[in-house]
Amino acid sequence: MKKTIFAVLTGFLAMGAAQAQSTANDAPRTYLGIGVGAVKDSITGDHKRSTTIFGGYEFDQNWAVEGGYSYLGKSGFYVPLENDIYHVGVKSQSFYAAAKYTFPLTERTAMYGKLGLAHTEAKYSSPFKGWNFKDNTNGVYAAVGVQTRLTENVSLFAEYERNGKQLRNGADNKVFSAGVKYGF
C-alpha cells in the first residue's frame, strides 16, 4: 500500500513539473460542490444513493485542498435476541480531507486525482439495549475523475472515490458519483 501511495504521489509531482502552461485561471479561489452517486450495500448487495458535499481551495490551476462529507445510506439486519427478533439499523457516512491535482486536457476539460485521509463510520441503532454503537475506521482517501467547465464558475464532474477502509456492515467504501462544482 505504501508503494502504491508513493507511486501516485510521484506521478502527480511529475505531471505538475511537466505542466508549465499558464492560463487566466491561475488566481487562487474557493469552491463548493455537491455530488450524487451509487454505493453498494455490503449487507444486502443492493446499490443505494450516496450524497457528497464538499468545499476546497484552489491554489492555482493544478493544486487544491479539499474536504467533504459523504452520506453513504442506511441499511439494516435482523438479530434474534431474548425470544424476539430485533431490527438493527446501520447508517454509514464518511468525512475526508485531501490534496487535489488537476491535469488540464483541453481548455474546458480536465482530469484530476485526490489523495488524503478519510474517517468512515457506521452507526448502529436498535430498540434492544446494547445494539446502539458506532463502528469507525480511518484510512487513505483516493479519487480520480474528470470535470468539464460549463462557465467560468460552474463545472460538472464524474468521479470514482474510495473512502478509507471497508467497515464490517453498511455501505461499501467505493463510490461512483457525478455532480456540480461552483467556484467563487
Side-chain angles (χ1 to χ4, degrees):
M1 181 61 121
K2 290 180 184 178
K3 289 180 183 179
T4 303
I5 293 170
F6 180 75
V8 169
L9 287 174
T10 303
F12 281 146
L13 292 174
M15 286 188 292
Q19 187 69 18
Q21 70 189 51
S22 177
T23 67
N25 203 16
D26 281 341
R29 63 192 224 163
T30 57
Y31 61 88
L32 295 173
I34 186 166
V36 177
V39 63
K40 185 176 180 181
D41 184 331
S42 67
I43 297 171
T44 65
D46 297 335
H47 282 82
K48 299 192 178 225
R49 181 178 54 88
S50 69
T51 305
T52 301
I53 55 172
F54 60 89
Y57 182 80
E58 295 173 336
F59 296 103
D60 57 30
Q61 78 170 13
N62 300 109
W63 291 101
V65 292
E66 185 175 295
Y69 165 79
S70 296
Y71 173 73
L72 302 173
K74 291 182 181 178
S75 187
F77 55 92
Y78 291 92
V79 178
L81 296 169
E82 295 185 356
N83 300 326
D84 206 350
I85 297 177
Y86 292 92
H87 182 262
V88 178
V90 182
K91 176 184 169 188
S92 301
Q93 58 189 1
S94 180
F95 304 89
Y96 73 88
K100 179 179 177 182
Y101 183 81
T102 303
F103 183 78
L105 298 173
T106 68
E107 187 178 317
R108 294 192 169 283
T109 305
M111 288 178 49
Y112 62 85
K114 296 188 271 187
L115 188 62
L117 296 174
H119 174 78
T120 306
E121 65 183 31
K123 294 180 182 178
Y124 294 79
S125 60
S126 173
F128 187 76
K129 190 175 184 176
W131 279 89
N132 296 298
F133 61 92
K134 287 184 190 178
D135 181 16
N136 58 57
T137 184
N138 297 317
V140 175
Y141 171 85
V144 293
V146 63
Q147 64 187 26
T148 300
R149 193 164 33 100
L150 299 178
T151 69
E152 189 63 34
N153 294 329
V154 179
S155 298
L156 296 179
F157 70 89
E159 73 180 10
Y160 167 79
E161 57 187 329
R162 183 178 171 97
N163 293 299
K165 296 177 184 174
Q166 178 65 43
L167 295 172
R168 289 180 291 203
N169 293 303
D172 193 10
N173 63 343
K174 297 175 259 332
V175 181
F176 289 98
S177 61
V180 63
K181 179 178 99 168
Y182 183 81
F184 299 97

